[in-house]
Every structure is written in C-alpha cells, then in structure tokens.
Amino acid sequence: MTDALAADPHAATDGVMARVLATEAALSLIAELRGEYGPVLFHQSGGCCDGSSPMCYPQGDYIVGDEDVRLGEIGGTPFYMSPSQFDYWQHTQLIIDVVPGRGGMFSLENGRGVRFLTRSRLFTDADLDRLAPIGRGVAG
C-alpha cells in the first residue's frame, strides 16, 4: 500500500467493523476535493467507462439509486456501491487508496496525476459478526 491505513483494518469502532476504510493519502485527497467542490460522495459501479474504480462526485451531481448500497463513510464522505458490485464485494473490507495515474473520466480527481483505487481484504469469521449495517439509496 502507498500509505499506512488511516485506521487499522482489523480494529472496530465501538465493536462495529467498518466495511470501507481509507488510507491517509485517500483522506488527504478527499479533504482537498471537499475543499474545492464542497460535499462529495463516492460510488463504485463496475459499469462501463472506468470499470470498478471508486468514483468521486459532487453531492447532487450524481443520483444515487434506490437500490445502491451505502457501505459507510470515508473522510466524512458517503461511499455507495451498485447492488451487483456489492454482491461481489460483500465479503471484503474495502480500503480506498490513492495511486499515481489518471482518475476516472468523470471522477473529481481526474487531471491531478493520481487516482482512487480499491484494495480489499476478506473479512474473517470474527469480523462477520461485527459488520456495520448497510443502507440502501440516499440516507436523508
């Protein structure tokens, strides 16, 4: 990984295991994007164009579907995933990182020489009993 994790992926907050975490590099870029664009959100669709890259959009510019899964927050930013991607990734903890490269065509980090990248690790049996609940669609 390019940076130490912002939080230990094996640690739980208040006994609840996070489904999505971010590295220090990702948190720094998120803060930069929030400073420039205001509130943002992440969506990982697995669709066309940029594949399954986590994409960052200004809140309000991307319409989250009613069935999209809200995995949690990173850097004060909600992280959503399409239902089909969640079916594939539900047994893993997502770790959002930043690496050199070109961001997704419509993602806010595009043109900065870096891009968001999803890393993952399988949940252990002990983790599964402590998983954070998921939400569907936009939470008020």
Side-chain angles (χ1 to χ4, degrees):
M1 257 177 243
T2 58
D3 269 340
L5 284 176
D8 178 357
H10 300 98
T13 303
D14 297 327
V16 178
M17 179 64 59
R19 292 178 180 270
V20 60
L21 299 171
T23 63
E24 289 294 338
L27 292 173
S28 178
L29 183 54
I30 292 166
E32 181 181 326
L33 294 172
R34 289 178 69 189
E36 188 172 334
Y37 295 98
V40 298
L41 65 81
F42 279 90
H43 192 274
Q44 187 164 323
S45 69
C48 70
C49 305
D50 294 300
S52 60
S53 296
M55 304 284 278
C56 186
Y57 303 100
Q59 285 188 23
D61 282 7
Y62 184 88
I63 299 173
V64 176
D66 291 341
E67 294 299 314
D68 284 340
V69 178
R70 188 173 195 262
L71 298 179
E73 287 189 4
I74 52 174
T77 300
F79 192 100
Y80 295 91
M81 181 175 277
S82 69
S84 62
Q85 283 290 293
F86 181 70
D87 286 345
Y88 180 78
W89 291 94
Q90 66 183 316
H91 303 291
T92 63
Q93 185 174 52
L94 303 184
I95 303 158
I96 307 306
D97 201 358
V98 173
V99 296
R102 189 174 68 178
M105 185 182 312
F106 303 108
S107 193
L108 294 177
E109 83 277 11
N110 192 14
R112 296 170 192 265
V114 294
R115 66 184 182 91
F116 289 107
L117 175 76
T118 300
R119 300 181 190 279
S120 65
R121 75 167 186 89
L122 287 174
F123 286 121
T124 66
D125 289 339
D127 294 340
L128 294 174
D129 293 334
R130 301 180 304 152
L131 283 179
I134 60 167
R136 295 282 179 179
V138 178

